[in-house]
mmCIF file of all heavy atoms in Angstrom:
data_model
loop_
_atom_site.group_PDB
_atom_site.id
_atom_site.type_symbol
_atom_site.label_atom_id
_atom_site.label_comp_id
_atom_site.label_asym_id
_atom_site.label_seq_id
_atom_site.Cartn_x
_atom_site.Cartn_y
_atom_site.Cartn_z
ATOM 1 N N GLY A 204 126.803 136.512 27.433
ATOM 2 C CA GLY A 204 126.876 137.857 26.890
ATOM 3 C C GLY A 204 127.828 138.731 27.677
ATOM 4 O O GLY A 204 128.890 138.254 28.034
ATOM 5 N N THR A 205 127.393 139.913 27.923
ATOM 6 C CA THR A 205 128.250 140.889 28.634
ATOM 7 C C THR A 205 127.424 141.628 29.668
ATOM 8 O O THR A 205 126.238 141.379 29.782
ATOM 9 C CB THR A 205 128.855 141.894 27.619
ATOM 10 O OG1 THR A 205 127.787 142.773 27.171
ATOM 11 C CG2 THR A 205 129.542 141.258 26.424
ATOM 12 N N SER A 206 128.054 142.540 30.331
ATOM 13 C CA SER A 206 127.363 143.335 31.356
ATOM 14 C C SER A 206 126.442 144.359 30.726
ATOM 15 O O SER A 206 125.633 145.007 31.407
ATOM 16 C CB SER A 206 128.372 144.045 32.246
ATOM 17 O OG SER A 206 129.252 144.875 31.468
ATOM 18 N N SER A 207 126.554 144.500 29.339
ATOM 19 C CA SER A 207 125.707 145.412 28.657
ATOM 20 C C SER A 207 124.417 144.703 28.142
ATOM 21 O O SER A 207 123.549 145.378 27.546
ATOM 22 C CB SER A 207 126.404 146.024 27.412
ATOM 23 O OG SER A 207 127.487 146.806 27.874
ATOM 24 N N ASP A 208 124.323 143.435 28.332
ATOM 25 C CA ASP A 208 123.084 142.770 27.972
ATOM 26 C C ASP A 208 122.687 141.733 29.004
ATOM 27 O O ASP A 208 122.078 142.092 29.992
ATOM 28 C CB ASP A 208 123.217 142.098 26.589
ATOM 29 C CG ASP A 208 124.608 141.457 26.289
ATOM 30 O OD1 ASP A 208 124.933 140.522 26.997
ATOM 31 O OD2 ASP A 208 125.318 141.905 25.413
ATOM 32 N N VAL A 209 123.084 140.482 28.884
ATOM 33 C CA VAL A 209 122.688 139.455 29.791
ATOM 34 C C VAL A 209 122.924 139.783 31.268
ATOM 35 O O VAL A 209 122.056 139.593 32.139
ATOM 36 C CB VAL A 209 123.333 138.069 29.487
ATOM 37 C CG1 VAL A 209 123.002 136.995 30.506
ATOM 38 C CG2 VAL A 209 122.871 137.604 28.068
ATOM 39 N N GLY A 210 124.159 140.273 31.576
ATOM 40 C CA GLY A 210 124.516 140.532 32.911
ATOM 41 C C GLY A 210 123.961 141.865 33.490
ATOM 42 O O GLY A 210 124.005 142.058 34.744
ATOM 43 N N GLY A 211 123.449 142.668 32.658
ATOM 44 C CA GLY A 211 123.064 144.027 33.100
ATOM 45 C C GLY A 211 121.624 144.229 33.319
ATOM 46 O O GLY A 211 121.154 145.221 33.894
ATOM 47 N N TYR A 212 120.767 143.350 32.793
ATOM 48 C CA TYR A 212 119.349 143.509 32.845
ATOM 49 C C TYR A 212 118.619 142.217 33.096
ATOM 50 O O TYR A 212 119.108 141.116 32.699
ATOM 51 C CB TYR A 212 118.788 144.077 31.469
ATOM 52 C CG TYR A 212 119.533 145.320 31.049
ATOM 53 C CD1 TYR A 212 120.641 145.276 30.213
ATOM 54 C CD2 TYR A 212 119.104 146.574 31.525
ATOM 55 C CE1 TYR A 212 121.304 146.450 29.815
ATOM 56 C CE2 TYR A 212 119.746 147.725 31.081
ATOM 57 C CZ TYR A 212 120.813 147.646 30.283
ATOM 58 O OH TYR A 212 121.479 148.783 29.874
ATOM 59 N N ASN A 213 117.463 142.242 33.716
ATOM 60 C CA ASN A 213 116.667 141.017 33.984
ATOM 61 C C ASN A 213 115.741 140.731 32.855
ATOM 62 O O ASN A 213 114.564 140.385 33.048
ATOM 63 C CB ASN A 213 115.917 141.204 35.312
ATOM 64 C CG ASN A 213 116.823 141.342 36.525
ATOM 65 O OD1 ASN A 213 117.865 140.689 36.577
ATOM 66 N ND2 ASN A 213 116.458 142.134 37.460
ATOM 67 N N TYR A 214 116.236 140.857 31.618
ATOM 68 C CA TYR A 214 115.372 140.723 30.477
ATOM 69 C C TYR A 214 115.921 139.677 29.506
ATOM 70 O O TYR A 214 116.095 139.939 28.284
ATOM 71 C CB TYR A 214 115.185 142.051 29.770
ATOM 72 C CG TYR A 214 114.565 143.079 30.697
ATOM 73 C CD1 TYR A 214 115.189 144.310 30.917
ATOM 74 C CD2 TYR A 214 113.356 142.837 31.399
ATOM 75 C CE1 TYR A 214 114.669 145.226 31.783
ATOM 76 C CE2 TYR A 214 112.843 143.772 32.239
ATOM 77 C CZ TYR A 214 113.479 145.005 32.477
ATOM 78 O OH TYR A 214 112.930 145.896 33.340
ATOM 79 N N VAL A 215 116.241 138.489 29.949
ATOM 80 C CA VAL A 215 116.679 137.396 29.141
ATOM 81 C C VAL A 215 115.465 136.521 28.825
ATOM 82 O O VAL A 215 114.665 136.166 29.710
ATOM 83 C CB VAL A 215 117.763 136.544 29.849
ATOM 84 C CG1 VAL A 215 118.135 135.336 28.967
ATOM 85 C CG2 VAL A 215 118.968 137.392 30.142
ATOM 86 N N SER A 216 115.401 136.088 27.573
ATOM 87 C CA SER A 216 114.280 135.254 27.165
ATOM 88 C C SER A 216 114.867 133.987 26.465
ATOM 89 O O SER A 216 115.975 134.015 25.958
ATOM 90 C CB SER A 216 113.389 136.005 26.144
ATOM 91 O OG SER A 216 112.913 137.225 26.673
ATOM 92 N N TRP A 217 114.084 132.966 26.416
ATOM 93 C CA TRP A 217 114.405 131.793 25.665
ATOM 94 C C TRP A 217 113.246 131.352 24.801
ATOM 95 O O TRP A 217 112.071 131.443 25.200
ATOM 96 C CB TRP A 217 114.726 130.612 26.656
ATOM 97 C CG TRP A 217 115.982 130.808 27.431
ATOM 98 C CD1 TRP A 217 116.124 131.396 28.624
ATOM 99 C CD2 TRP A 217 117.273 130.341 27.056
ATOM 100 N NE1 TRP A 217 117.453 131.394 29.039
ATOM 101 C CE2 TRP A 217 118.216 130.704 28.048
ATOM 102 C CE3 TRP A 217 117.773 129.607 25.928
ATOM 103 C CZ2 TRP A 217 119.534 130.416 28.041
ATOM 104 C CZ3 TRP A 217 119.131 129.301 25.893
ATOM 105 C CH2 TRP A 217 120.006 129.698 26.910
ATOM 106 N N TYR A 218 113.610 130.852 23.561
ATOM 107 C CA TYR A 218 112.656 130.433 22.614
ATOM 108 C C TYR A 218 112.971 129.012 22.158
ATOM 109 O O TYR A 218 114.152 128.631 21.970
ATOM 110 C CB TYR A 218 112.656 131.337 21.406
ATOM 111 C CG TYR A 218 112.310 132.784 21.698
ATOM 112 C CD1 TYR A 218 113.264 133.676 22.169
ATOM 113 C CD2 TYR A 218 110.930 133.183 21.652
ATOM 114 C CE1 TYR A 218 112.914 134.966 22.420
ATOM 115 C CE2 TYR A 218 110.623 134.517 21.921
ATOM 116 C CZ TYR A 218 111.630 135.422 22.383
ATOM 117 O OH TYR A 218 111.291 136.714 22.716
ATOM 118 N N GLN A 219 111.878 128.272 21.877
ATOM 119 C CA GLN A 219 112.002 126.934 21.278
ATOM 120 C C GLN A 219 111.479 127.068 19.885
ATOM 121 O O GLN A 219 110.411 127.632 19.663
ATOM 122 C CB GLN A 219 111.138 125.951 22.135
ATOM 123 C CG GLN A 219 111.089 124.522 21.575
ATOM 124 C CD GLN A 219 110.011 123.684 22.273
ATOM 125 O OE1 GLN A 219 108.827 124.061 22.223
ATOM 126 N NE2 GLN A 219 110.447 122.608 22.909
ATOM 127 N N GLN A 220 112.194 126.469 18.959
ATOM 128 C CA GLN A 220 111.743 126.576 17.564
ATOM 129 C C GLN A 220 111.875 125.197 16.858
ATOM 130 O O GLN A 220 112.961 124.709 16.686
ATOM 131 C CB GLN A 220 112.542 127.567 16.734
ATOM 132 C CG GLN A 220 112.033 127.756 15.337
ATOM 133 C CD GLN A 220 112.856 128.713 14.484
ATOM 134 O OE1 GLN A 220 114.033 128.817 14.647
ATOM 135 N NE2 GLN A 220 112.178 129.435 13.586
#
Side-chain angles (χ1 to χ4, degrees):
Chain A
T205 69
S206 58
S207 296
D208 40 63
V209 172
Y212 306 94
N213 294 324
Y214 303 123
V215 176
S216 307
W217 289 90
Y218 299 86
Q219 177 191 61
Q220 185 183 33

